[in-house]
Amino acid sequence: MPQKVFNLPDPHCTSDKFFEYTKSLRQEKPPIIIDNGSYQCKVGWATNEKPRMVFRNLVAKQRGKKEGETQIGNDITNIEVVRWLLKSQFDRNMVMQFDIQEQIFDHIFSHLGITTDGCVDHPIVLTETPCNPPMSRQLMSELLFECYQVPKVAFGIDCLFSFHYNNKGDQGQNGLVISSGYNTTHILPVLDGKPVPKEVRRINIGGSHMTSYLHRLLQLKYPAHFSCITLTRAEDFLHNHTYIAENYQEELKKWTDPEFHENNVHRIQLPYTPLPGNISAESGKLAWCETIVKRVKEMTLKRKMERLAEHEERLQQMINAQELLEEGEEDNFIRALQELGCHSAEELQLESNRLNQQIQKAKSFKQTMSSQESSESTRKIRCVEVDLRRFSDPETWIAAVRKQWKELRESRLSRHRYQKTEKLPQLFDCEGNPVEAMDEVSAEHSEDEQDKIFELEEIIAEYNREVSNKSGYRSEHRFSLNIAEYYQLHLGVERIRVPELLFQPCMIGHEQAGVAEIVEGIFANFSTQQQALLAQNVFLTSGCVSISGFKSRIESELLAMRPFQSTFKVSVAADPVLDAWRGARIWSLTGDNLRNFSTTKAEYLEKGGEYFKEHIASNWFVPAMISQKLAAVPNLVVEKT
């Protein structure tokens, strides 16, 4: 029976559009709704039924580059290329890096087309996390009022906006909100239309943890495809190929059945280069070897490019350190030297020259590789100095590869032994401690030798893994394997193991209770009548609740923890991702909410950045526990309405 094979989606995204700032927007001044999530930012005018911009809350900027070269959100066409440059304004789910948040706001307002110089003359409704600390709100208010001169700001909790958007009227008076986001999972009980602050709980598990866990599992399972299994692809696997089991232990037993595994495993096709035509057992042997070499060549090139990026970043740091010396900042220069692992200005200059030579050499190598790919005369694939065209069978060829690998390895070992026995000039650092010297030959050829040895080792490993004798295989069948199947990932028990982290955080070493245990603990702190009110409206929202089986698992857990013959109801947001933005929009357009519950700039200047007004979807004022000696100190100023 042929099995369904899933293809990977296109990872590239389209850059955000620049919208027109129309005359009606300038005159009517509608509020700007910003759902500032730790994964995605959703932005739009309150007059729109859906957000105009939805982008990843990430910034990518290379060190030493100009401000205009910063990439934000959907402008990052391929995240994996700049993964090591990515920055976020969030620490878990709280905004803490406000220089990055300012860049995000600049991106938002410029793409909305706002042309008022130095001023955003529109009210802003901004979402925040439950129990957001006053310091974070103070700095956010300072940024909006003083940097962008906004007239008024209203803060609200994203999951409560979603809760009231999906529960109209009396349905929104009582309920238990479970919000599972990118970095954290929150559980908020709501009674009489207001959340109960003392019973709000947070679990430090979310989509990022599940993505990272799946990423590690697949890389361990498929070491040959290590570089192909990226975090972006693992994120797609999490949301499209996993599900939450109603009973985890029972589901695990099902996966031990070969027939169940065969019927439920998801096969995901990775990109690959197909072999030309139909390859017979005789002619396909060397063609298979060519495929192995080509694959390893691509790995080697990628490794060189990654190292090139690291060298360029380190060289820029050295240039910055040299500029400190030229400007006379000796203290900062010494600290920069220590961070770079150098001991003097001369050593810094030598190291920067060496790095510059390596960078130029790597760039010329890249140009050579690209020209060879386009050249018709050099299409035959070579393995360093071992050319497949000189061999008639793979056994002789792999023997030559092993011989060359052995020679290079022995040559490198003998050079290391020479360095230890030969009396090389002794170097000392600034504190008089001896520093191990490296001879000129080793410094010049070390990286090239490592690349050659790495390339040969990978070819030998790939050959042994796919071409060598296997039990039950006849020689003529060894090379007739389907190359497409080799480039397939099989998601089996990982489909239930990864999302189970929400209910068993201990699987990755987190000493926290899972969602079910937290819900049971919250119920225990309320009276029987209040428990019944909460159980009648268990509401699920945020991105991770869209994983298949989440609602069924919560219903199963409630059935186990609630009293016999008691009733409960579980509902999911119509759109777990966008309903927070829609709820904030409806709230801003309902009655006088925006006028009554927004903080104006005059109130900010009078009462401080920590000042805010409570409403049905806002955070709440909780008096700080202070000693009697400090009781006279003014605390957070809050207007309750």
Side-chain angles (χ1 to χ4, degrees):
M1 176 181 176
Q3 298 293 334
K4 182 179 179 181
V5 178
F6 298 88
N7 293 320
L8 292 173
D10 184 8
H12 300 281
C13 53
T14 306
S15 298
D16 292 316
K17 297 179 180 178
F18 286 89
F19 295 95
E20 182 184 359
Y21 190 49
T22 62
K23 184 177 180 181
S24 61
L25 291 174
R26 187 180 294 105
Q27 293 176 347
E28 296 174 7
K29 294 182 173 56
I32 302 173
I33 313 299
I34 303 176
D35 181 10
N36 195 32
S38 58
Y39 179 71
Q40 283 183 331
C41 185
K42 282 78 72 177
V43 182
W45 301 102
T47 53
N48 301 134
E49 294 186 358
K50 60 181 181 179
R52 286 197 172 187
M53 300 169 59
V54 178
F55 60 90
R56 285 290 299 270
N57 239 338
L58 292 173
V59 172
K61 178 188 176 184
Q62 293 189 11
R63 298 179 184 176
K65 299 293 184 181
K66 297 180 181 179
E67 194 69 28
E69 297 180 17
T70 302
Q71 295 177 306
I72 298 175
N74 293 330
D75 293 339
I76 309 173
T77 55
N78 191 347
I79 286 182
E80 295 305 326
V81 176
V82 293
R83 174 72 67 178
W84 59 287
L85 295 172
L86 295 179
K87 294 181 180 179
S88 172
Q89 69 269 45
F90 287 91
D91 182 0
R92 291 185 180 171
N93 61 336
M94 294 180 294
V95 178
M96 302 301 291
Q97 305 295 331
F98 284 89
D99 56 335
I100 300 176
Q101 183 63 64
E102 183 178 352
Q103 294 179 8
I104 296 292
F105 281 148
D106 288 342
H107 180 79
I108 290 172
F109 299 140
S110 64
H111 281 72
L112 288 178
I114 298 175
T115 56
T116 49
D117 295 334
C119 174
V120 178
D121 196 16
H122 292 267
I124 290 180
V125 179
L126 184 67
T127 63
E128 60 182 8
T129 184
C131 303
N132 192 35
M135 181 193 69
S136 178
R137 189 182 300 107
Q138 176 187 1
L139 294 174
M140 184 68 77
S141 298
E142 179 181 337
L143 177 64
L144 290 171
F145 284 120
E146 298 191 12
C147 182
Y148 298 99
Q149 305 296 319
V150 298
K152 59 179 68 175
V153 177
F155 295 98
I157 302 175
D158 49 4
C159 58
L160 287 183
F161 276 133
S162 178
F163 174 73
H164 290 291
Y165 176 75
N166 287 272
N167 293 271
K168 304 293 192 298
D170 294 338
Q171 288 184 346
Q173 293 298 307
N174 304 290
L176 185 69
V177 181
I178 300 177
S179 172
S180 184
Y182 187 61
N183 287 309
T184 56
T185 297
H186 284 91
I187 300 154
L188 296 84
V190 178
L191 288 174
D192 299 327
K194 295 182 179 180
V196 184
K198 293 182 180 179
E199 300 303 329
V200 174
R201 298 291 183 268
R202 181 181 79 172
I203 307 172
N204 293 321
I205 293 290
S208 62
H209 302 83
M210 292 186 283
T211 299
S212 178
Y213 185 46
L214 179 58
H215 181 242
R216 293 200 306 268
L217 286 178
L218 292 178
Q219 285 189 332
L220 289 171
K221 186 176 180 180
Y222 297 98
H225 305 311
F226 190 90
S227 60
C228 295
I229 303 170
T230 62
L231 281 170
T232 303
R233 288 172 177 171
E235 200 169 82
D236 173 73
F237 300 160
L238 172 66
H239 289 282
N240 295 321
H241 299 282
T242 63
Y243 67 97
I244 298 175
E246 285 190 32
N247 188 313
Y248 182 65
Q249 296 300 328
E250 292 295 328
E251 197 74 12
L252 275 180
K253 293 179 182 178
K254 294 180 181 178
W255 279 99
T256 59
D257 181 13
E259 184 177 354
F260 181 88
H261 181 279
E262 186 67 19
N263 294 332
N264 292 275
V265 67
H266 279 201
R267 294 168 172 82
I268 302 168
Q269 185 67 61
L270 295 175
Y272 69 99
T273 304
L275 293 174
N278 297 324
I279 301 175
S280 63
E282 294 296 329
S283 63
K285 296 181 180 181
L286 284 175
W288 184 272
C289 295
E290 288 184 2
T291 305
I292 291 175
V293 178
K294 185 174 182 180
R295 191 159 60 238
V296 173
K297 281 286 187 181
E298 292 173 353
M299 293 171 57
T300 306
L301 180 60
K302 183 177 181 181
R303 188 184 182 199
K304 283 180 177 288
M305 293 305 101
E306 290 175 352
R307 192 165 59 229
L308 173 62
E310 294 174 0
H311 287 344
E312 288 179 338
E313 181 184 8
R314 181 171 174 81
L315 180 60
Q316 185 60 47
Q317 293 173 351
M318 291 181 173
I319 293 173
N320 295 339
Q322 290 173 341
E323 291 176 354
L324 292 175
L325 181 62
E326 294 173 359
E327 295 171 359
E329 301 181 15
E330 295 185 1
D331 294 338
N332 293 332
F333 175 70
I334 293 174
R335 282 196 295 269
L337 275 183
Q338 293 174 350
E339 293 176 358
L340 292 170
C342 298
H343 308 93
S344 64
E346 292 77 10
E347 185 179 350
L348 178 66
Q349 183 63 42
L350 291 173
E351 181 67 14
S352 62
N353 291 339
R354 186 181 68 84
L355 272 180
N356 192 30
Q357 292 177 359
Q358 290 180 348
I359 290 171
Q360 297 302 324
K361 187 176 181 180
K363 288 182 178 179
S364 63
F365 173 81
K366 182 179 179 181
Q367 293 176 357
T368 303
M369 290 293 293
S370 60
S371 63
Q372 285 183 354
E373 288 178 0
S374 60
S375 174
E376 190 72 24
S377 60
T378 56
R379 283 192 176 179
K380 290 292 183 180
I381 303 170
R382 300 192 176 198
C383 162
V384 193
E385 288 85 10
V386 181
D387 188 355
L388 270 166
R389 293 175 297 179
R390 298 191 294 123
F391 300 93
S392 59
D393 60 276
E395 286 78 10
T396 309
W397 169 75
I398 199 64
V401 173
R402 291 193 179 103
K403 180 181 178 183
Q404 188 183 25
W405 169 77
K406 186 176 180 181
E407 291 174 353
L408 285 173
R409 188 166 174 271
E410 290 178 351
S411 174
R412 193 162 184 265
L413 289 174
S414 63
R415 184 154 46 251
H416 281 300
R417 286 194 294 268
Y418 167 78
Q419 291 176 15
K420 292 181 179 179
T421 56
E422 191 71 15
K423 293 183 178 180
L424 297 176
Q426 183 64 59
L427 300 178
F428 297 90
D429 60 14
C430 58
E431 299 179 354
N433 299 319
V435 180
E436 184 178 354
M438 180 179 287
D439 67 335
E440 186 178 354
V441 176
S442 178
E444 182 179 357
H445 299 289
S446 177
E447 287 191 356
D448 289 340
E449 272 194 345
Q450 288 179 4
D451 288 337
K452 289 181 180 180
I453 293 174
F454 168 79
E455 190 173 355
L456 293 171
E457 285 178 347
E458 287 298 319
I459 288 174
I460 295 170
E462 291 280 342
Y463 183 91
N464 291 339
R465 201 159 29 234
E466 299 299 329
V467 181
S468 62
N469 285 323
K470 297 180 181 180
S471 58
Y473 258 23
R474 287 176 18 204
S475 176
E476 60 269 21
H477 293 151
R478 277 186 284 153
F479 299 93
S480 59
L481 301 176
N482 185 354
I483 190 172
E485 292 182 357
Y486 175 83
Y487 282 95
Q488 286 179 6
L489 305 180
H490 290 192
L491 287 183
V493 72
E494 296 86 4
R495 294 183 61 200
I496 62 168
R497 178 179 295 169
V498 172
E500 186 65 20
L501 291 182
L502 291 172
F503 298 88
Q504 298 187 56
C506 60
M507 292 172 65
I508 56 172
H510 281 230
E511 296 181 354
Q512 293 180 291
V515 172
E517 296 171 88
I518 294 293
V519 169
E520 187 173 10
I522 290 175
F523 276 132
N525 295 330
F526 289 96
S527 65
T528 304
Q529 183 179 3
Q530 290 173 329
Q531 289 182 30
L533 292 174
L534 295 175
Q536 288 304 313
N537 190 10
V538 178
F539 178 73
L540 312 179
T541 187
S542 295
C544 288
V545 305
S546 59
I547 297 176
S548 177
F550 199 109
K551 179 183 176 183
S552 300
R553 176 62 175 269
I554 295 296
E555 290 175 339
S556 176
E557 297 289 353
L558 287 173
L559 185 63
M561 72 178 69
R562 297 294 296 144
F564 178 64
Q565 290 186 340
S566 62
T567 59
F568 57 83
K569 181 181 178 182
V570 180
S571 61
V572 184
D575 189 334
V577 176
L578 295 181
D579 277 359
W581 185 90
R582 294 190 177 104
R585 169 183 172 269
I586 295 299
W587 178 88
S588 68
L589 298 176
T590 302
D592 295 330
N593 282 344
L594 196 62
R595 183 176 63 187
N596 294 335
F597 303 115
S598 295
T599 303
T600 64
K601 187 174 182 180
E603 290 172 327
Y604 161 77
L605 294 173
E606 178 186 354
K607 303 173 183 178
E610 296 179 348
Y611 175 79
F612 71 101
K613 298 179 181 179
E614 291 183 353
H615 53 84
I616 61 170
S618 74
N619 267 300
W620 45 89
F621 170 65
V622 178
M625 302 299 293
I626 56 177
S627 63
Q628 294 181 355
K629 294 182 180 180
L630 299 176
V633 179
N635 203 354
L636 177 66
V637 182
V638 175
E639 180 178 335
K640 293 190 176 183
T641 54

